[in-house]
Amino acid sequence: MIRLSDQPFEPGALLTEFSKDRRETGAIASFTGIARAEAGKTEVLELEAYPGFTESEIGRIADQARIRFGLDDLLIRHRIGRIEPGEAIVFVATAASHRRSAFEACDFLMDYLKSRAPFWKKEHGPDGARWIEPRSEDYADAARWD
Amino acid sequence: MARVLLFGPLRDVAGWRERETTAETISALRTLLSREDAALGAALSAPGVQVALNQALVRGDAALDARSEVAFLPPMSGG
């Protein structure tokens, strides 16, 4: 399930709900990304999506992950709008029969979300606002799966 | 009249988010926008800027009609 939300979410609650009633899933991996304060340089993050397109592009990659890693299920929750430091910005959970698939699928999905998913991120701080582009490491991380 | 959408830093360069255009192709639209605003024209041709037509990525040129939605997508960054 893929959902964008302009409201804060609680990663623990999402993981509990995702983990419920699974008798054949042997492994669940999850990742939570948190907005950093950057020692006061970031007062708020602003995340923009392209409604409709962003969900369908993430859906395409989620389908790839399901097949490539043989997942039983996955969950992606991503914040949009204004996000305060300390709030969760993204949550990914993957369920598979065995741990390696769950770990790798989670890693794969996060690498995609960091540098290839249709989001634009602006950092607002005391010195003004600036758009954040992926770092070269983010591109290199995503290229590992090509 | 196709609809044009700008995202991320492109919006700040242009000073608008959305507008209508009478351009009949994506390349004609680029020419039109560059002529009106050279800085935007340059930003639209910068490396890493992708184009979506009706919410699907396209490479190169394509025809536009009244129901078309063209989006210019600068380098993406989530998570």
Side-chain angles (χ1 to χ4, degrees):
Chain A
M1 186 189 175
I2 294 155
R3 201 175 134 201
L4 309 185
S5 157
D6 61 4
Q7 296 300 314
F9 58 81
E10 215 283 283
L14 293 181
L15 183 58
T16 300
E17 183 61 29
F18 183 76
S19 306
K20 256 188 359 200
D21 303 328
R22 293 192 184 278
R23 295 178 59 82
E24 297 302 328
T25 288
I28 289 174
S30 74
F31 175 86
T32 305
I34 313 271
R36 284 190 307 268
E38 303 280 14
K41 280 196 293 180
T42 306
E43 290 164 344
V44 72
L45 273 182
E46 187 186 339
L47 244 295
E48 184 186 12
Y50 180 2
F53 180 72
T54 299
E55 291 92 330
S56 70
E57 285 293 297
I58 296 173
R60 227 163 37 81
I61 297 297
D63 289 344
Q64 279 182 28
R66 277 192 190 93
I67 294 164
R68 182 167 176 172
F69 302 99
L71 295 180
D72 297 342
D73 198 6
L74 65 83
L75 172 69
I76 298 173
R77 178 74 66 92
H78 207 297
R79 280 287 296 280
I80 51 173
R82 294 171 73 81
I83 301 149
E84 308 268 341
E87 288 182 354
I89 179 166
V90 61
F91 177 82
V92 173
T94 51
S97 298
H98 300 285
R99 71 183 181 286
R100 188 65 52 209
S101 304
F103 279 136
E104 288 188 350
C106 198
D107 200 15
F108 168 86
L109 288 167
M110 272 314 305
D111 283 345
Y112 164 77
L113 289 167
K114 284 301 281 189
S115 63
R116 295 182 181 177
F119 291 104
W120 297 276
K121 192 158 56 179
K122 198 177 199 177
E123 186 182 87
H124 295 266
D127 302 328
R130 65 182 193 103
W131 291 97
I132 313 281
E133 286 199 14
R135 304 165 305 155
S136 54
E137 296 95 305
D138 295 326
Y139 288 121
D141 284 346
R144 292 183 302 147
W145 307 100
D146 290 344
Chain B
M1 292 287 272
R3 213 152 67 100
V4 188
L5 305 176
L6 301 181
F7 288 89
L10 293 175
R11 218 173 54 217
D12 290 351
V13 173
W16 51 270
R17 172 191 292 259
E18 179 177 340
R19 59 178 279 186
E20 303 285 319
T21 179
T22 52
E24 291 179 350
T25 63
I26 290 174
S27 66
L29 171 62
R30 286 179 180 279
T31 305
L32 186 83
L33 294 175
S34 305
R35 203 174 290 150
E36 285 178 12
D37 181 342
L40 176 61
L44 295 179
S45 319
V49 176
Q50 302 184 80
V51 181
L53 174 58
N54 300 327
Q55 303 217 339
L57 291 174
V58 288
R59 286 170 192 269
D61 206 4
L64 304 178
D65 64 32
R67 292 179 310 279
S68 300
E69 179 178 283
V70 184
F72 290 95
L73 312 171
M76 301 163 174
S77 175

